[in-house]
């Protein structure tokens, strides 16, 4: 039974004696998304006083509102101010407070964009923004600057620019379709886009990032799954933040995708007063793995405009990781990451497990606080590696691998590169040397 009393109640307020078949039609859900305060009040039976309404209107003028009837139905009307779904979908005046360190585009996605729609940050993979709309506007969206900008579905011509860039950039082996939500595109366009991208010889895998299983699970139709199946290997990442979001409808959507053969991952964002609690987080992770979803990332909340009230200290994330490592299944544990402001990419963060070192021993601690030692091998000969794999006795089939060049800190460790330090461009000491020399 998917159509519960609350859903029937909300459905009937939209259309008299609404049939379940309509409620489960994703296009019907989109047509009836809640985009105004009045509609929110009318459908939920929740009401706000005049002052608060004024604040809310100002908020929605800057950051628009949009909630699917399905996601709306998950809000507990009797305790809505503490409800995690309410907090993620319905804003408040606190969104208009911006600190100096909070930016419209904290990850510099626009600066790392070689062509419209593409963010190329890492050597071998790109983010391809294929839609700029979502079925629900998350209040914690890191791309809040773009939400509601212009609700349009990009044309094939616009998407072609991104496809051309990928075609002309042979190092790209992994394409991550994101947005907005790629599943906002009609089936035919998804089919066309996936066929274009998967035709590119150097693209090994495609990933799709979508929040549909959470906010509009009816979008995962059998027709969609049969289209996606043509483009394996296809990885799908979704975005559950709280165990309350794992409903019967969400489970059905996840089961369709898992049965379709797609590896499923989940990216959560650590949000103050929503999921900044080890018990809530563990409960979420356990529900995810029960539904064949592998927790992938736990994100530290970005420094985006309007997100101050959602941010926690990094220490909260480390505390949560401490409560997971050893305490639960390894595959139920996400990697906690901070997306570096300025575009440095994701930086993984963990509690410290290495306590000390000597020439032949490492001292470690486990999750119970047991302190242990690992004795290093006495006979490990460091091998000189000049990256000429033809002369190496390790077995690597050379025709199957790419020629990778060491960059960054990896370069400092490599034998065939004589870089001994990485120095910031504006280092004053080095500038002085150059002046003295000059
Ligand atoms: C997160 C992200 C990716 C993918 O990173 P993975 O760690 O491989 O999941 C790629 N490009 C950009 C710009 C990203 O933010």
């Amino acid at each position: 039974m998917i159509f519960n009393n609350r859903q029937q109640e909300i459905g009937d307020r939209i259309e008299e004696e609404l049939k379940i078949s309509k409620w489960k039609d994703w296009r019907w859900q989109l047509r009836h998304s809640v985009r105004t305060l009045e509609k929110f009040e009318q459908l939920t039976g929740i009401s706000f006083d005049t002052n608060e309404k004024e604040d809310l209107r100002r908020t929605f003028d800057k950051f628009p509102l949009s909630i699917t009837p399905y996601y709306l139905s998950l809000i507990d009307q009797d305790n809505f101010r503490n409800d995690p779904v309410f907090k993620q979908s319905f804003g408040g005046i606190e969104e208009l407070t911006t600190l100096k360190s909070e930016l419209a585009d904290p990850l510099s996605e626009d600066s790392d964009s070689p062509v419209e729609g593409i963010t190329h940050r890492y050597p071998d993979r790109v983010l391809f923004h294929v839609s700029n709309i979502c079925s629900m506007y998350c209040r914690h969206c890191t791309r809040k600057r773009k939400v509601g900008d212009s609700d349009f579905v990009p044309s094939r011509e616009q998407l072609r620019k991104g496809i051309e860039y990928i075609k002309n950039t042979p190092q790209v082996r992994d394409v991550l379709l994101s947005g907005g939500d790629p599943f906002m595109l009609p089936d035919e366009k998804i089919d066309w886009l996936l066929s274009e991208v998967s035709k590119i010889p150097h693209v090994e895998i495609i990933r799709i990032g979508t929040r549909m299983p959470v906010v509009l699970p009816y979008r995962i139709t059998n027709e969609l799954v049969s289209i996606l199946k043509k483009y394996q290997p296809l990885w799908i990442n979704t975005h559950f933040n709280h165990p309350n979001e794992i409903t019967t409808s969400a489970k059905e959507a996840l089961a369709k995708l898992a049965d379709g053969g797609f590896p499923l991952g989940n990216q959560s964002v650590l949000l103050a007063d929503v999921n900044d609690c080890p018990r809530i987080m563990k409960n979420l992770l356990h529900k995810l793995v029960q539904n064949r979803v592998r927790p992938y990332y736990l994100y530290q909340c970005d420094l985006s405009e309007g997100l101050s009230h959602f941010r926690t200290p990094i220490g909260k994330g480390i505390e949560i990781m401490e409560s997971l490592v050893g305490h639960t299944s390894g595959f139920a544990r996400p990697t906690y990451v901070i997306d570096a402001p300025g575009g440095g990419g994701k930086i993984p963060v963990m509690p410290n497990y290495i306590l000390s070192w000597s020439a032949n021993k490492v001292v470690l601690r486990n999750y119970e606080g047991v302190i242990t030692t690992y004795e290093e091998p006495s006979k490990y000969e460091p091998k000189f590696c000049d990256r000429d794999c033809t002369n190496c006795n390790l077995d690597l089939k050379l025709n199957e691998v790419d020629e990778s060049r060491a960059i960054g800190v990896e370069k400092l460790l490599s034998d065939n590169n004589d870089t001994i330090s990485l120095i910031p461009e504006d280092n004053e000491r080095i500038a002085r040397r150059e002046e003295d020399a000059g």
Side-chain angles (χ1 to χ4, degrees):
M1 179 66 186
I2 296 163
F3 213 25
N4 64 31
N5 292 342
R6 183 63 176 159
Q7 292 171 339
Q8 183 77 62
E9 191 176 39
I10 289 177
D12 288 348
R13 285 176 184 155
I14 299 173
E15 267 181 51
E16 246 171 77
E17 292 182 36
L18 184 81
K19 294 280 186 307
I20 185 164
S21 56
K22 270 200 174 169
W23 177 266
K24 290 180 75 174
D25 171 355
W26 67 281
R27 292 182 184 281
W28 182 92
Q29 287 273 335
L30 286 180
R31 273 201 303 281
H32 294 94
S33 282
V34 175
R35 290 169 177 269
T36 64
L37 182 52
E38 291 66 34
K39 184 112 175 263
F40 181 90
E41 291 189 322
Q42 184 220 332
L43 294 188
T44 57
I46 293 169
S47 54
F48 301 94
D49 68 27
T50 324
N51 283 343
E52 194 170 4
K53 270 189 197 157
E54 191 42 47
D55 286 350
L56 288 167
R57 284 208 183 86
R58 279 173 53 212
T59 310
F60 300 149
D61 277 348
K62 176 149 192 202
F63 299 117
L65 179 76
S66 181
I67 317 174
T68 56
Y70 162 79
Y71 200 56
L72 189 79
S73 76
L74 308 187
I75 297 173
D76 175 3
Q77 59 182 335
D78 298 326
N79 188 23
F80 69 93
R81 287 197 196 268
N82 287 325
D83 188 278
V85 171
F86 177 79
K87 287 179 187 171
Q88 289 181 74
S89 60
F90 193 83
I93 190 79
E94 59 283 2
E95 293 183 17
L96 299 183
T97 311
T98 302
L99 303 181
K100 238 174 44 201
S101 54
E102 292 164 347
L103 310 164
D105 176 18
L107 308 177
S108 305
E109 290 185 323
D110 296 341
S111 335
D112 282 340
S113 175
V115 298
E116 187 189 331
I118 295 272
T119 303
H120 191 175
R121 168 156 307 148
Y122 296 105
D124 67 341
R125 53 207 189 278
V126 293
L127 196 61
F128 189 2
H129 305 263
V130 298
S131 137
N132 64 347
I133 44 174
C134 284
S135 59
M136 195 279 283
Y137 296 160
C138 301
R139 305 317 292 187
H140 56 277
C141 182
T142 189
R143 305 199 182 104
K144 218 166 165 157
R145 69 188 186 281
K146 298 200 161 160
V147 171
D149 253 10
S150 44
D151 269 10
F152 74 102
V153 171
S155 65
R156 289 190 182 193
E157 295 324 303
Q158 281 165 312
L159 292 172
R160 236 181 223 118
K161 290 186 202 164
I163 296 168
E164 281 306 308
Y165 178 80
I166 298 167
K167 262 190 201 152
N168 296 327
T169 317
Q171 66 268 35
V172 175
R173 47 161 283 284
D174 172 4
V175 175
L176 172 43
L177 306 182
S178 176
D181 199 311
F183 288 159
M184 284 297 276
L185 300 178
D187 286 359
E188 314 79 67
K189 199 168 264 177
I190 294 174
D191 198 356
W192 171 79
L193 180 67
L194 287 172
S195 78
E196 289 296 311
V197 176
S198 64
K199 260 196 282 201
I200 303 172
H202 52 266
V203 172
E204 297 171 1
I205 57 162
I206 302 176
R207 297 194 246 178
I208 295 179
T210 175
R211 208 176 183 203
M212 288 293 187
V214 189
V215 297
L216 185 49
Y218 314 126
R219 174 65 183 103
I220 311 303
T221 58
N222 295 334
E223 297 74 52
L224 178 65
V225 172
S226 58
I227 290 171
L228 300 177
K229 269 180 154 173
K230 298 190 285 182
Y231 304 104
Q232 292 281 22
L234 184 66
W235 293 61
I236 297 177
N237 255 335
T238 184
H239 174 38
F240 286 90
N241 283 330
H242 193 282
N244 291 7
E245 295 169 333
I246 303 189
T247 62
T248 312
S249 301
K251 286 178 186 173
E252 278 190 3
L254 294 173
K256 277 187 189 173
L257 292 171
D259 289 344
F262 312 107
L264 302 179
N266 185 70
Q267 322 197 145
S268 299
V269 184
L270 183 55
L271 298 171
D273 289 329
V274 173
N275 60 11
D276 55 339
C277 155
R279 288 186 79 182
I280 288 179
M281 196 55 79
K282 201 191 278 184
N283 185 239
L284 169 66
L285 301 170
H286 287 173
K287 285 191 167 172
L288 287 169
V289 296
Q290 284 168 46
N291 288 284
R292 293 179 278 173
V293 182
R294 167 81 157 89
Y296 182 48
Y297 282 142
L298 170 63
Y299 282 100
Q300 175 67 12
C301 186
D302 285 329
L303 287 161
S304 285
E305 252 177 13
L307 304 191
S308 301
H309 61 294
F310 278 131
R311 289 169 51 208
T312 65
I314 289 172
K316 195 69 207 180
I318 293 185
E319 179 192 342
I320 287 173
M321 294 311 291
E322 185 71 68
S323 77
L324 298 175
V325 176
H327 297 273
T328 191
S329 322
F331 60 79
R333 187 175 79 221
T335 304
Y336 175 43
V337 292
I338 302 167
D339 219 335
K346 299 174 184 73
I347 301 172
V349 185
M350 275 279 260
N352 292 328
Y353 290 95
I354 296 189
L355 299 184
S356 198
W357 255 300
S358 75
N360 63 344
K361 277 186 193 173
V362 181
V363 180
L364 307 127
R365 61 99 174 174
N366 79 348
Y367 72 105
E368 301 164 305
V370 168
I371 296 180
T372 187
T373 51
Y374 177 85
E375 190 156 326
E376 302 276 36
S378 56
K379 281 217 206 86
Y380 184 82
E381 289 290 329
K383 290 188 196 74
F384 177 82
C385 172
D386 57 4
R387 294 219 166 202
D388 177 6
C389 301
T390 46
N391 290 326
C392 179
N393 58 4
L394 296 177
D395 184 26
L396 177 65
K397 305 280 182 280
L398 280 177
N399 55 349
E400 288 173 13
V401 294
D402 55 2
E403 183 55 42
S404 72
R405 198 167 45 91
I407 60 164
V409 177
E410 185 194 2
K411 182 162 77 178
L412 297 180
L413 297 175
S414 78
D415 293 325
N416 70 331
N417 186 302
D418 50 17
T419 309
I420 52 168
S421 57
L422 300 177
I423 300 166
E425 226 170 64
D426 59 353
N427 182 285
E428 288 183 20
R429 183 170 54 83
I430 301 297
R432 222 168 21 245
R433 275 191 204 170
E434 280 163 12
E435 269 168 37
D436 291 349

